[in-house]
Amino acid sequence: MLSLSQAAVEAIQAHGEAAYPNEGVGLLLGRANGTEKSAEAILPLANSWPADEQYHRYRVSGDEMLRAEREAARQGLDVLGFFHSHPDHPAEPSRFDHEWATWPWYSYVITTIERGRATVTRSWQLREDRGGFDEETVVLPAQAL
Amino acid sequence: MATIRIPTPLRPYTNSQAEISVAGDTVGAVLSDLTRQHPALRQHLYADNGELRAFVNVFLNEEDIRHIRGAETPVRAQDRLMIVPSIAGGTETVDHAALRTNQAAIITLLIAAFVANAWWLAAAVMLIMAYGTLRRQPGFRPLYAGLLKPRGWVRPDVLRDNSEPHIFAQGFGAVVLLGAVAALLANLPVLGWGLVWLVVALAALNLFVGFCAGCAVYYWLARLRLPGFVKAPPAGTFPGMRPRGS
């Protein structure tokens, strides 16, 4: 379960809209207690795929991720997962997302950007057997109260 | 013994331990000691072929082992290792404007080669297509990405589609052109220019009708489960036809 503040959802959606028609990407930082994750901040990252392929690809290198992990640790937070945008595409993991999936537990938050406007944001988790993704419940704090 | 820091998502497989002491004097040895101590980690670090998964990065005292000596990198007792993922993803989409630019360039230059009776021009087109195929992109993509798209002369046309069949189709065209150039050099002009016109005709069929014959071949081979041919046509699309806009 991922708990996401309204401000975090808005920041994720604004980031995807700003990146449109390209894909935007970043990290979810926060605190975790077992499988319950609570995102407190987002960390936008640079898409390192060649510019003219960014309309359907994103990539963040290991070096960049190491820097991001350090930044999270500096803030006393954990990396809970990633967010990226799907320009004019459903907010579901694609086959390419699956090929590059890392580990279960992480949240993969995907936002559909339709003609420049964010419409749907959903979160996914890789299955334990790595065979596919299952949707993860997202709780906005107002609902959690 | 050296210490490996375990990222949060992998701690369920290490009894919640964040740091683990590992034995061994190379990176490869300490990693196999790690998976010996915690076998459930194996499938999340290694692919079926026994290699580290492509997204798994191992840092030795903050330096990527790929920039040192990989699995052979020596490890000392006081060293600290970190496992960090790199991330990638995206959508199954293809910019058909880049494909159409490619087809138009191929058709124009091959007809020019025929008119000028210039085998070398057909050979140049063949090399550009072969180079693009190796780079897994349309050979004339720089023309689109560097000139036509930035100036707004050609607008992007991003459709839900697989890129692999289009790359395969271009490779297929390059092979036919290789045969054409060989025939021209062997003084068989009818065969040579005939093959050139075959490539022109198939590129024109794609450009004007939206049917990619090489893609159809790809999808048929995928249906026969030929290794490496894994993609199915986008939903509701006849194999090889251009998908409808979303």
Side-chain angles (χ1 to χ4, degrees):
Chain A
M1 191 187 77
L2 175 67
S3 152
L4 213 49
S5 70
Q6 187 63 38
V9 173
E10 282 168 13
I12 287 169
Q13 295 195 335
H15 185 258
E17 289 176 352
Y20 188 87
N22 290 337
E23 295 201 3
V25 56
L27 298 188
L28 298 169
L29 307 183
R31 296 174 205 280
N33 180 9
T35 58
E36 298 204 353
K37 290 167 289 186
S38 172
E40 297 180 13
I42 69 159
L43 183 60
L45 295 174
N47 183 349
S48 70
W49 209 280
D52 60 322
E53 285 288 318
Q54 288 182 10
Y55 71 88
H56 68 163
R57 291 287 180 266
Y58 76 85
R59 177 171 59 204
V60 179
S61 69
D63 290 324
E64 180 92 352
M65 285 291 293
L66 181 67
R67 273 195 292 280
E69 293 262 6
R70 299 219 168 287
E71 173 60 23
R74 199 184 58 76
Q75 297 183 29
L77 301 174
D78 250 331
V79 175
L80 306 181
F82 320 105
F83 64 88
H84 75 277
S85 58
H86 277 182
D88 299 311
H89 210 74
E92 297 162 9
S94 65
R95 192 198 296 257
F96 194 76
D97 287 327
H98 184 204
E99 281 169 21
W100 278 89
T102 56
W103 297 313
W105 190 85
Y106 274 140
S107 296
Y108 280 83
V109 172
I110 304 178
T111 300
T112 293
I113 311 291
E114 257 180 55
R115 295 193 189 90
R117 294 291 303 273
T119 52
V120 184
T121 297
R122 296 165 80 181
S123 184
W124 304 83
Q125 277 179 309
L126 184 65
R127 279 183 213 136
E128 204 53 43
D129 65 3
R130 310 186 63 86
F133 280 90
D134 288 320
E135 186 156 14
E136 180 182 31
T137 309
V138 178
V139 181
L140 300 176
Q143 293 169 288
L145 288 174
Chain B
M1 290 206 287
T3 308
I4 298 190
R5 182 163 177 80
I6 304 295
T8 319
L10 294 183
R11 290 179 202 164
Y13 315 110
T14 61
N15 306 323
S16 305
Q17 285 175 266
E19 301 209 330
I20 294 176
S21 297
V22 281
D25 32 14
T26 63
V27 167
V30 300
L31 286 177
S32 47
D33 187 48
L34 176 70
T35 52
R36 187 189 56 75
Q37 292 182 45
H38 300 284
L41 280 176
R42 170 158 276 281
Q43 70 152 331
H44 296 300
L45 297 180
Y46 291 93
D48 293 337
N49 63 9
E51 300 281 329
L52 273 182
R53 290 188 181 275
F55 67 83
V56 173
N57 305 282
V58 178
F59 290 87
L60 175 70
N61 305 324
E62 319 232 334
E63 194 170 355
D64 190 331
I65 60 159
R66 290 196 189 94
H67 303 155
I68 319 176
R69 287 170 55 194
E72 304 299 318
T73 306
V75 173
R76 292 158 306 167
Q78 65 275 30
D79 283 337
R80 289 178 55 82
L81 294 100
M82 279 181 78
I83 297 171
V84 177
S86 45
I87 58 172
T91 55
E92 299 292 341
T93 54
V94 172
D95 188 346
H96 276 250
L99 297 180
R100 287 198 287 271
T101 302
N102 201 41
Q103 291 146 13
I106 290 168
I107 292 168
T108 308
L109 290 177
L110 288 182
I111 291 178
F114 174 74
V115 170
N117 196 17
W119 68 268
W120 55 268
L121 186 52
V125 173
M126 184 267 290
L127 288 175
I128 290 170
M129 290 169 72
Y131 177 74
T133 303
L134 293 177
R135 295 284 311 275
R136 309 189 65 73
Q137 65 183 34
F140 289 92
R141 190 176 75 163
L143 177 65
Y144 170 73
L147 181 72
L148 301 178
K149 187 166 81 159
R151 301 213 174 174
W153 293 343
V154 175
R155 291 176 57 82
D157 180 21
V158 179
L159 302 178
R160 271 178 225 172
D161 197 2
N162 303 303
S163 55
E164 291 83 350
H166 295 288
I167 301 302
F168 172 80
Q170 176 178 251
F172 187 75
V175 170
V176 174
L177 275 187
L178 179 64
V181 171
L184 291 173
L185 290 176
N187 215 9
L188 297 167
V190 174
L191 176 63
W193 292 117
L195 290 173
V196 166
W197 276 102
L198 176 65
V199 174
V200 170
L202 291 178
L205 183 67
N206 203 337
L207 179 60
F208 298 113
V209 183
F211 182 71
C212 168
C215 301
V217 171
Y218 175 99
Y219 289 126
W220 293 333
L221 294 175
R223 210 167 58 195
L224 299 174
R225 298 182 184 283
L226 205 71
F229 293 79
V230 294
K231 298 291 169 79
T237 305
F238 183 80
M241 278 309 288
R242 179 183 302 155
R244 285 185 295 277
S246 47

